[in-house]
Amino acid sequence: MTEGVDLNALVGREFSIGEVRLFGMRLCEPCAYLAKVSFPETLKGLVHKGGLRARIVSGGVLRVGDALIETP
């Protein structure tokens, strides 16, 4: 979970969290399952805000409080 990070800007970019290097693949849009188990109105507020699917470039340890650092 992140806070204060523009995940949309990480699509197509490499970044690190702690020791882990990642590549932002695509946005994780809300799905029909979420609407089914909650309320259909929930989806409207989550469009383009549902998260980010990322590929692990190199593994490592993640710790609570690790900063997200974009790779130039």
Side-chain angles (χ1 to χ4, degrees):
M1 178 178 268
T2 60
E3 184 177 5
V5 177
D6 182 3
L7 297 178
N8 295 6
L10 295 174
V11 174
R13 309 266 329 251
E14 195 169 292
F15 58 97
S16 299
I17 304 174
E19 299 172 0
V20 181
R21 290 182 59 193
L22 303 127
F23 180 80
M25 301 293 290
R26 64 185 173 96
L27 296 178
C28 182
E29 297 294 355
C31 63
Y33 174 76
L34 178 62
K36 183 178 176 182
V37 298
S38 61
F39 299 97
E41 299 82 25
T42 303
L43 297 182
K44 293 176 189 172
L46 292 176
V47 171
H48 303 309
K49 298 177 186 172
L52 176 71
R53 295 193 189 273
R55 176 175 40 96
I56 298 170
V57 175
S58 62
V61 177
L62 290 174
R63 293 177 179 85
V64 173
D66 281 346
L68 186 148
I69 301 168
E70 292 185 55
T71 303

